[in-house]
Amino acid sequence: MAFVRTVLLLLLQHLVLTSGFAVSGHHRHLHHSLLTDKAALLAFRKTVVHDPYSRLANWNEAVEVCNFTGVTCDRHHHRVLKLNLTNSELTGPLSPIISNLTGLRVLSLVQNHFFGIIPPELSSLRHLRSLQLDMNNLQGSLPESLSLLSNLTVITATNNNLKGELPPSLFSNCTSLRNVDLSYNFLTGKIPEEIGNCACLWTINLYNNQFTGQLPVSLTNISIELYNIDVEYNHLSGELPANIIGKLPQLSFLHLSYNHMVSHNNNTNLETFFIALANCTVLEELELAGMGLGGSIPSSIGRLSTKLKSLMLHENQIYGSIPSDIANLSALAVLNLTSNSLNGTISAEISRLLLLEQLFLSHNLFTGAIPVALGQLP
């Protein structure tokens, strides 16, 4: 998933910059705006208390602002469009002075040591398309004022110390939003139903938080675009969301592991969910591990996407045998059924999975011999 996210972010940043170079207006007004941008950046530098790689060494009055490290201006050098200080290891508070860069399209402060809250004043950056604050020491909650950034396509703030609930207003004006990644924080409460307003959303990453409740049914409103849902390691509950997943035909990655979900019919029936999954015809990864799911693996598993590469069902309460239909998953590279209550003999049909690289069957109740054919997998 890390590779997919990286490719998407690079693509989105390219689209953001190429669509934002032309800035109209009177020349003298724009020149004045560039002076304002420079003043804001110099003020921002003063709040940085540690710059181990001297990334900001040329941020001074003698240097043209468009030549500052990490700064990109539009082609006419009228406004600062992009501030990218990724991997700079800078330390200091995340100063609201950045909000004076009102022409900014991209703000990337990934992998630094900025602390304090996310300034509500960032809502002044009305042209902002990409906001990336990952891997810092930011605290507090996500400001409701971010809902005013109607041009956002990317918002990521992974690996921080953010707390509180996701403000529903964040998704009230999100027609351009493509990528939401708030993983590895301490966010609580329910995932807002309003997320269904984001009709162009591609990917939702909210794993490693403390969300409760169920996946919002409103996700079905974005069925045309949504290709990734990763909400692993939360406290989500309820039945496996067959009513939602079956209406997301473009879904390629579904990660629900380590929540508190159950299978249908009082945690005895996996078939309802697997039948719904058959509608996800481009599904590549399915992770349902560590939830104590009950029921047997249905024969309908053989009707899942022929593009499925990874199937994680370990650490559950699944019983019965492995159906021979699993051999229909011709692209499968990883199959993990460890730590269940599977019994009977190990199906020799698994040997038909010619692309299989990793097979985990330990801690079950299998009997009989290991099929010789498994030793012939290339």
Side-chain angles (χ1 to χ4, degrees):
M1 285 306 299
F3 171 76
V4 174
R5 287 197 295 272
T6 301
V7 171
L8 270 176
L9 288 175
L10 289 172
L11 173 62
L12 287 167
Q13 285 184 6
H14 172 74
L15 292 173
V16 164
L17 286 175
T18 54
S19 64
F21 274 126
V23 181
S24 61
H26 194 277
H27 179 80
R28 283 185 298 176
H29 170 72
L30 290 171
H31 180 65
H32 174 73
S33 296
L34 191 61
L35 293 177
T36 303
D37 288 349
K38 183 172 185 177
L41 290 171
L42 291 176
F44 176 76
R45 184 194 176 184
K46 290 180 180 178
T47 68
V48 174
V49 297
H50 187 49
D51 179 8
Y53 305 135
S54 300
R55 288 293 305 274
L56 308 184
N58 69 342
W59 285 33
N60 58 62
E61 290 286 359
V63 177
E64 183 185 350
V65 64
C66 298
N67 293 328
F68 282 10
T69 300
V71 170
T72 302
C73 295
D74 64 83
R75 62 189 176 196
H76 300 298
H77 283 208
H78 289 155
R79 295 304 308 266
V80 171
L81 287 188
K82 180 178 180 180
L83 178 59
N84 182 3
L85 296 173
T86 296
N87 299 325
S88 296
E89 302 291 341
L90 301 173
T91 301
L94 183 53
S95 172
I97 197 68
I98 288 180
S99 62
N100 286 354
L101 302 172
T102 53
L104 208 60
R105 265 63 169 178
V106 174
L107 176 58
S108 182
L109 302 177
V110 176
Q111 200 161 338
N112 285 283
H113 303 287
F114 290 113
F115 54 83
I117 64 170
I118 298 175
E121 292 86 350
L122 292 183
S123 61
S124 299
L125 304 176
R126 299 301 174 87
H127 299 290
L128 198 65
R129 312 279 179 82
S130 178
L131 176 61
Q132 296 172 252
L133 303 174
D134 312 78
M135 290 180 278
N136 282 283
N137 298 314
L138 298 172
Q139 299 175 334
S141 57
L142 281 168
E144 290 197 26
S145 60
L146 293 182
S147 62
L148 298 174
L149 302 178
S150 59
N151 291 310
L152 269 185
T153 60
V154 177
I155 178 169
T156 65
T158 67
N159 293 85
N160 279 285
N161 296 302
L162 300 176
K163 298 180 180 179
E165 299 186 3
L166 268 182
S169 60
L170 186 65
F171 307 111
S172 63
N173 192 16
C174 58
T175 54
S176 299
L177 198 59
R178 301 287 194 275
N179 182 349
V180 175
D181 194 343
L182 302 172
S183 306
Y184 286 105
N185 281 289
F186 300 93
L187 297 170
T188 56
K190 295 182 178 181
I191 300 172
E193 283 286 344
E194 286 79 0
I195 198 169
N197 295 330
C198 310
C200 295
L201 205 56
W202 290 350
T203 175
I204 302 170
N205 287 305
L206 299 174
Y207 56 89
N208 283 83
N209 277 286
Q210 298 173 9
F211 289 112
T212 55
Q214 302 181 24
L215 277 182
V217 176
S218 63
L219 289 176
T220 57
N221 296 342
I222 46 183
S223 60
I224 296 176
E225 297 285 348
L226 193 58
Y227 92 104
N228 169 63
I229 300 175
D230 193 337
V231 291
E232 291 185 334
Y233 291 98
N234 278 284
H235 305 301
L236 299 175
S237 57
E239 289 183 338
L240 291 171
N243 59 328
I244 298 173
I245 302 305
K247 298 177 182 178
L248 301 176
Q250 298 303 314
L251 198 65
S252 295
F253 303 92
L254 178 61
H255 295 187
L256 303 178
S257 298
Y258 300 101
N259 279 286
H260 304 314
M261 297 178 185
V262 296
S263 62
H264 288 71
N265 302 115
N266 295 317
N267 205 32
T268 63
N269 176 12
L270 286 169
E271 185 165 20
T272 300
F273 187 63
F274 276 85
I275 288 174
L277 276 172
N279 293 328
C280 304
T281 55
V282 292
L283 191 67
E284 294 184 29
E285 293 183 6
L286 175 62
E287 298 190 6
L288 303 173
M291 295 193 284
L293 296 174
S296 59
I297 301 175
S299 60
S300 55
I301 195 172
R303 296 197 291 273
L304 296 185
S305 165
T306 54
K307 296 184 178 182
L308 192 66
K309 298 176 182 177
S310 177
L311 178 58
M312 303 289 202
L313 298 175
H314 50 286
E315 296 176 40
N316 284 298
Q317 299 173 18
I318 301 172
Y319 51 82
S321 59
I322 301 174
S324 58
D325 307 79
I326 203 167
N328 294 341
L329 305 178
S330 56
L332 206 61
V334 180
L335 175 60
N336 193 338
L337 301 174
T338 295
S339 299
N340 280 285
S341 298
L342 295 167
N343 55 31
T345 58
I346 297 173
S347 174
E349 294 296 306
I350 294 176
S351 64
R352 291 171 52 196
L353 300 171
L354 298 182
L355 298 181
L356 197 64
E357 298 174 4
Q358 300 180 44
L359 175 63
F360 303 95
L361 300 175
S362 63
H363 296 89
N364 279 287
L365 304 172
F366 292 118
T367 56
I370 297 175
V372 174
L374 291 186
Q376 299 169 359
L377 283 167

